């Protein structure tokens, strides 16, 4: 009887899995003129291969139980590699431990499949308890770098405190996405670090990084904002001084904290940035995505800053392990100018949105900035209304 149960379940699981990974995605129209969402998430817990979750031994597991379940797939770095779109996905098991795994797609929109095995990340002498949210950067030095958050228990936590932690920036590099070299964690004077991103080019012969100094594991405290610093070497990465280039601001979508998303995209007009902003509300923390642009020659100088959010959670995106959250740490600019934006919703699943470099630059340059008070906000909107009324009367 148990062998029949096993075979029947295996057939059903394989059938559903194949349907999922072969499913065609659909663009949701008409969109907002800036980007298009797609009907289906691109990578979910159900996309993780059966062999990662089930013991497929019919003798040892006659009921084909899920032995090592997957809770979520989210916060993925992205890169174009050998004609395919690659995501380094944050995969979280039922045990709360996150790990990195590579999924690939020919078009970046659908038919995503994981590589055979997860990444076995090298450890430092101070082993990571948890790792997550890798940003991938093809640097001009020839390496592909991954910067991620490494979490360890706070050694100064009082007895009985089993939740206090310390966050730091872990660093790996690779040339083939198969062999990964672990480098020392980034050293800064800015307290704990999350959302650290390597700038893709040298600046005055140095490596430049976007950081997010914070006072504690969760709270940015007196720190916060997207900062900027230099290190002479990635093999001994030390930033002596951080300067905030994109601060958090009262009564905005980034009043509680903000952080760099993926590495910026270089355009003729400047460096195009995608970031997340966080505010507190009655329902808890609300994460949205926003954009800005920095100067080509001085990437630490913001030159355009559209007011409000670029993208916020909608529909099922609002629901998940940590609800009301959008987070992005990966996007890809393709040769034809298409930009694929990979974002996670509510710490649960991965989505894609598509736009073009031309559209995103237009959005950043021509969207009004935040006036930081109601009066100016209304004046800006009335100007738009008056302009449109004149156009409609022609």
């Amino acid at each position: 009887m148990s062998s029949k149960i096993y075979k029947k379940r295996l057939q059903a699981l394989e059938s559903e899995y194949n349907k999922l990974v072969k499913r065609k995605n659909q663009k949701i129209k008409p969109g907002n003129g800036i980007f298009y969402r797609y009907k289906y998430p691109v990578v979910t817990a159900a996309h993780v291969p059966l062999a990662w979750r089930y013991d497929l031994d019919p003798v040892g597991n006659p009921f084909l139980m899920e032995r090592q379940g997957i809770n979520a797939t989210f916060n993925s770095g992205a890169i174009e590699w050998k004609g395919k779109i690659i995501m380094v996905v944050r995969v979280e098991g039922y045990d709360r431990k996150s790990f990195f795994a590579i999924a690939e797609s020919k078009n970046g929109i659908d038919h995503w499949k994981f590589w055979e095995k997860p990444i076995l990340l090298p450890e430092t002498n101070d082993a990571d308890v948890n790792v997550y949210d890798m940003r991938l950067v093809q640097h001009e030095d020839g390496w592909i770098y991954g910067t991620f958050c490494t979490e360890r228990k706070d050694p100064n936590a009082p007895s009985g405190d089993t939740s206090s932690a310390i966050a730091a920036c872990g660093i790996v590099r690779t040339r083939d996405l198969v062999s990964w070299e672990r480098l020392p964690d980034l050293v800064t004077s800015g307290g704990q670090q999350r959302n650290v991103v390597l700038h893709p080019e040298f600046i005055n012969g140095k490596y430049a990084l976007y950081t997010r100094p914070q006072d504690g594991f969760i709270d940015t405290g007196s720190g916060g904002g997207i900062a900027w610093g230099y290190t002479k070497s990635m093999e001994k990465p030390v930033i002596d001084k951080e300067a905030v280039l994109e601060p958090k601001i009262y009564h905005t979508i980034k009043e509680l904290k903000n952080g760099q998303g993926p590495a910026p995209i270089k355009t003729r007009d400047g460096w195009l940035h995608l970031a997340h902003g966080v505010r507190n509300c009655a329902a808890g923390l609300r994460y949205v995505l926003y954009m800005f642009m920095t100067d080509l020659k001085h990437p630490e100088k913001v030159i355009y800053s559209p007011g409000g959010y670029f993208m916020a959670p909608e529909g099922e995106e609002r629901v998940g392990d940590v609800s009301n959250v959008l987070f992005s740490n990966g996007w890809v600019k393709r040769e034809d100018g298409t930009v694929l934006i990979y974002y996670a919703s509510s710490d649960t699943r991965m989505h894609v949105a598509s736009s073009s470099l031309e559209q995103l630059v237009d959005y950043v340059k021509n969207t009004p900035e935040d006036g930081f008070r109601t009066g100016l906000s209304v004046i800006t909107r009335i100007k738009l209304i008056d302009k449109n009324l004149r156009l409609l009367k022609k």
Side-chain angles (χ1 to χ4, degrees):
M1 179 63 71
S2 59
S3 63
K4 291 182 179 179
I5 293 174
Y6 177 94
K7 290 179 180 178
K8 187 175 182 180
R9 274 187 51 73
L10 183 58
Q11 289 175 354
L13 288 170
E14 289 177 336
S15 175
E16 288 302 307
Y17 182 81
N18 289 329
K19 286 179 184 177
L20 177 66
V21 297
K22 293 178 180 179
R23 181 175 64 188
K24 186 75 174 174
N25 218 339
Q26 301 173 26
K27 188 180 289 184
I28 300 175
K29 296 183 178 181
N32 61 2
I34 308 168
F35 59 81
Y36 288 103
R37 275 179 160 91
Y38 284 78
K39 182 176 181 179
Y40 302 114
V42 291
V43 175
T44 67
H47 283 79
V48 174
L50 299 177
W52 296 16
R53 297 179 276 150
Y54 292 86
D55 180 350
L56 299 178
D57 178 5
V59 177
N61 191 19
F63 296 101
L64 197 52
M65 295 180 183
E66 190 176 37
R67 297 296 195 197
Q68 297 185 44
I70 299 298
N71 182 59
T73 53
F74 57 118
N75 295 9
S76 306
I79 197 171
E80 186 165 12
W81 177 253
K82 294 184 177 180
K84 294 182 179 179
I85 304 299
I86 299 292
M87 280 198 291
V88 172
V89 183
R90 175 182 176 179
V91 182
E92 183 184 82
Y94 283 3
D95 60 1
R96 268 195 75 195
K97 306 302 182 294
S98 292
F99 57 89
F100 299 122
I102 292 180
E104 69 173 37
S105 165
K106 289 183 179 180
N107 62 11
I109 303 297
D110 48 31
H111 295 83
W112 285 89
K113 283 192 175 183
F114 279 93
W115 287 10
E116 186 176 48
K117 296 179 183 178
I119 296 171
L120 183 58
L121 196 71
E123 295 181 325
T124 64
N125 291 332
D126 186 8
D128 319 287
V129 173
N130 201 30
V131 295
Y132 44 89
D133 303 355
M134 184 182 288
R135 276 79 167 175
L136 286 176
V137 176
Q138 287 184 302
H139 196 273
E140 68 169 315
D141 72 357
W143 286 96
I144 299 172
Y145 288 89
T147 55
F148 58 93
C149 184
T150 170
E151 175 187 326
R152 302 175 179 97
K153 189 177 186 300
D154 187 347
N156 297 316
S159 178
D161 182 347
T162 57
S163 60
S164 293
I166 291 177
C169 171
I171 305 171
V172 289
R173 65 183 179 184
T174 181
R175 295 192 188 276
D176 58 10
L177 300 178
V178 176
S179 298
W180 298 81
E181 177 187 1
R182 184 72 181 261
L183 301 175
D185 294 349
L186 177 66
V187 177
T188 72
S189 58
Q192 301 197 38
Q193 290 287 354
R194 281 176 162 175
N195 305 301
V196 174
V197 184
L198 178 63
H199 190 71
E201 295 183 358
F202 286 113
I203 303 294
N204 297 324
K206 295 181 180 180
Y207 293 92
L209 295 104
Y210 302 92
T211 64
R212 208 276 297 282
Q214 57 188 77
D215 294 350
F217 182 66
I218 300 295
D219 297 325
T220 56
S222 61
I226 299 171
W228 174 260
Y230 302 95
T231 180
K232 295 179 181 179
S233 168
M234 292 300 286
E235 295 176 353
K236 295 181 179 179
V238 178
I239 294 178
D240 294 321
K241 183 180 180 181
E242 297 170 86
V244 173
L245 65 92
E246 175 66 6
K248 53 184 184 179
I249 298 175
Y250 168 71
H251 208 80
T252 65
I253 51 94
K254 55 180 182 178
E255 73 173 5
L256 184 64
K257 54 185 176 179
N258 56 344
Q260 180 76 20
I265 295 174
K266 192 174 188 179
T267 76
R268 292 178 302 176
D269 299 86
W271 289 97
L272 194 63
H273 292 256
L274 181 65
H276 64 267
V278 187
R279 69 177 177 92
N280 214 341
C281 64
L285 302 185
R286 174 173 165 84
Y287 279 66
V288 298
L289 304 179
Y290 74 97
M291 298 188 73
F292 61 96
M293 182 177 282
T294 58
D295 186 78
L296 273 181
K297 294 182 179 180
H298 301 280
E300 77 283 3
K301 180 182 178 182
V302 176
I303 56 175
Y304 293 105
S305 184
Y309 61 72
F310 168 71
M311 183 184 289
E314 294 182 357
E316 71 169 4
E317 296 172 353
R318 294 178 179 272
V319 181
D321 268 14
V322 184
S323 295
N324 210 18
V325 168
L326 288 194
F327 190 94
S328 177
N329 50 297
W331 61 0
V332 174
K333 180 183 77 69
R334 310 211 72 178
E335 190 174 346
D336 65 357
T338 299
V339 178
L340 299 175
I341 303 164
Y342 295 98
Y343 66 97
S345 67
S346 298
D347 283 11
T348 300
R349 58 194 83 80
M350 285 300 304
H351 306 260
V352 66
S354 63
S355 187
S356 70
L357 199 61
E358 184 180 11
Q359 286 171 283
L360 295 178
V361 169
D362 182 282
Y363 166 79
V364 169
K365 292 179 65 176
N366 296 306
T367 300
E369 295 191 358
D370 195 324
F372 304 123
R373 68 178 194 269
T374 295
L376 289 180
S377 176
V378 175
I379 289 171
T380 300
R381 196 171 296 273
I382 289 175
K383 286 181 179 178
L384 174 65
I385 294 169
D386 287 342
K387 176 183 176 181
N388 287 333
L389 289 175
R390 289 194 299 270
L391 291 171
L392 291 171
K393 290 178 180 178
K394 287 185 178 180

